[in-house]
Amino acid sequence: MTQQDPSDGIEHLFADTVRDTMGSAVYGDWRSIHNADAAPLAFGFPYPESFPNEELAAATDSLLSSEPERALQYGGGDHADGLRDLVVDRARDRGIDCAAETVHVTNGATRAIDTVCRTFLEPGDEVVVEAPTFMGALGIFRNHGAAVTGVTVDEEGLDVDALADDLVSRAQCGAAQPKLVYTIPDFQNPTGVTMATDRRERLLDLAERYDFVVLEDDPYGRLRYEGSERPPLKALDVDDRVVRVNTVSKTIAPGVRTGWIVADETTTAQFDRIDAGGEPSFTRGLIDRYCTDGRLDRAVARLCEGYERRRDRMLASLETHMPPSATWSEPSGGFFVWVEFPEGTDAEAMLPDAIDAGVTYLPGTFFYPDDGGRRFARLSFSYASPSAIDDGIESLARTVRDRVSVTGGKNG
Ligand SMILES: Cc1ncc(COP(=O)(O)O)c(C=O)c1O
């Protein structure tokens, strides 16, 4: 037996995947990018007044009185059981043909992504992501020991031609092909862009040809403020290649974090098996009870009004204050605007000055699997009030101008 240094405690017993990733950033570290005096454009949180406190309290009362012996029991009662049917109805509204047997309920989308990784990935497997992408997912892929590479995103979403080129060149040099391609097709985090329908079709053709799973993550799809819906990838999925993840974190509240995965029946049975025993049945019953009588649809309509107002305010403020050499995305929904600062700007290095000036944001580098994104930042319009958004963008523009010594906004 090897002699261990006693000060090492039990660290030497850590799994290799933990040892290999111990020094990496912790998801949630970005919460420290906060200052009480600065406009909070860093957080992708729902705005506090959006929370349905009274309705959730009423649903709690109703659940406890209608199922007093089962609502808090292991497994839960009828409402907890009913959540899968609710997901099926919602999915059908978006053109996805599924059944209760193809729905696996999870403790949120983040956990759902983890379940998908536990089901499909071995350490060393290749995962392709949009570059930039949701940093929470990047962390999960890394924790599973995956080799993560990025494919660019433009105004029409994932650049599927660039993905095709990547797959062809892997085939030509005998390199491993990805097992999983992760995408956020609607109102992507962090860019706010939506994938064009023809790209969605092409992506599914590539999945069939090169034999990979498409992991579709769609937390913002129902938060559309203009334009017409695109079909979810799962709705186009004739070959059962798509595993679709969703959550109520953005449409009800993160505090009742409940999510689900829609996949084929065989895969769903494995999700059920490997996750068995961890479910908070009361929260599931509560979500189902809350969503009855069209309450969720009414809530989503109200949320869209609140977020649209904030988005409009951010876009108008950017137009008024930013120097002409900055550009930004114009999302039709979701929570985020992606800004490209003028040449020579390093968004990470500029952040302390921006906070002093009165605004927080997340530097673009947080969202890349490699070292991309230096000139970019994610601005979230979901959390701050419209007037704080105005103040924040004005402060940001001032900081950028000071940094690059340019004068004058787009409007003078
Ligand atoms: C693309 C994406 N997926 C998943 C999540 C997290 O979902 P949940 O709160 O259900 O874990 C977020 C937001 O935080 C997100 O932007």
Side-chain angles (χ1 to χ4, degrees), residues 237-271:
D237 178 30
V238 286
D239 302 308
D240 277 343
R241 291 259 153 204
V242 178
V243 172
R244 176 178 162 86
V245 161
N246 215 323
T247 176
V248 301
S249 284
K250 315 296 179 184
T251 49
I252 303 181
V256 288
R257 211 170 202 173
T258 298
W260 55 90
I261 313 175
V262 176
D264 62 275
E265 203 171 325
T266 308
T267 309
T268 306
Q270 296 316 307
F271 295 152

Side-chain angles (χ1 to χ4, degrees), residues 184-207:
I184 307 157
D186 283 5
F187 319 126
Q188 201 239 13
N189 182 1
T191 59
V193 301
T194 291
M195 198 194 297
T197 304
D198 60 328
R199 290 194 183 188
R200 295 177 191 232
E201 286 159 354
R202 184 100 199 282
L203 174 61
L204 297 184
D205 289 345
L206 291 173

Side-chain angles (χ1 to χ4, degrees), residues 94-316:
R94 297 219 48 206
I96 298 166
D97 183 21
C98 62
E101 300 71 45
T102 59
V103 174
H104 171 69
V105 180
T106 65
N107 304 340
T110 309
R111 285 283 77 78
I113 295 167
D114 190 66
T115 297
V116 174
C117 290
R118 277 187 290 129
T119 306
F120 287 100
L121 294 185
E122 317 280 0
D125 278 346
E126 298 278 324
V127 171
V128 169
V129 299
E130 291 159 338
T133 191
F134 171 46
M135 56 199 168
L138 277 178
I140 296 170
F141 299 137
R142 287 190 183 123
N143 289 344
H144 283 272
V148 186
T149 53
V151 168
T152 49
V153 172
D154 61 25
E155 316 78 62
E156 305 225 297
L158 174 72
D159 183 343
V160 178
D161 284 340
L163 173 64
D165 290 347
D166 177 43
L167 297 169
V168 168
S169 67
R170 285 172 192 255
Q172 280 167 351
C173 65
Q177 293 289 358
K179 210 180 221 183
L180 208 74
V181 172
Y182 171 69
T183 174
I184 307 157
D186 283 5
F187 319 126
Q188 201 239 13
N189 182 1
T191 59
V193 301
T194 291
M195 198 194 297
T197 304
D198 60 328
R199 290 194 183 188
R200 295 177 191 232
E201 286 159 354
R202 184 100 199 282
L203 174 61
L204 297 184
D205 289 345
L206 291 173
E208 183 62 9
R209 167 137 26 123
Y210 290 94
D211 190 26
F212 57 80
V213 174
V214 176
L215 175 51
E216 173 179 40
D217 186 6
D218 188 25
Y220 305 102
R222 297 199 71 199
L223 300 173
R224 173 177 281 283
Y225 320 133
E226 68 200 10
S228 49
E229 269 186 10
R230 309 277 160 81
L233 288 161
K234 190 69 195 157
L236 302 170
D237 178 30
V238 286
D239 302 308
D240 277 343
R241 291 259 153 204
V242 178
V243 172
R244 176 178 162 86
V245 161
N246 215 323
T247 176
V248 301
S249 284
K250 315 296 179 184
T251 49
I252 303 181
V256 288
R257 211 170 202 173
T258 298
W260 55 90
I261 313 175
V262 176
D264 62 275
E265 203 171 325
T266 308
T267 309
T268 306
Q270 296 316 307
F271 295 152
D272 287 346
R273 186 179 67 79
I274 66 171
D275 273 353
E279 55 278 355
S281 51
F282 180 75
T283 315
R284 292 177 187 190
L286 175 62
I287 298 298
D288 188 62
R289 180 67 198 84
Y290 168 83
C291 290
T292 48
D293 316 323
R295 197 174 285 115
L296 183 62
D297 294 324
R298 290 195 296 280
V300 167
R302 266 197 315 277
L303 287 175
C304 284
E305 283 171 21
Y307 288 128
E308 183 179 4
R309 204 165 41 246
R310 286 168 167 78
R311 178 208 58 172
D312 289 351
R313 210 50 179 262
M314 181 172 278
L315 293 178

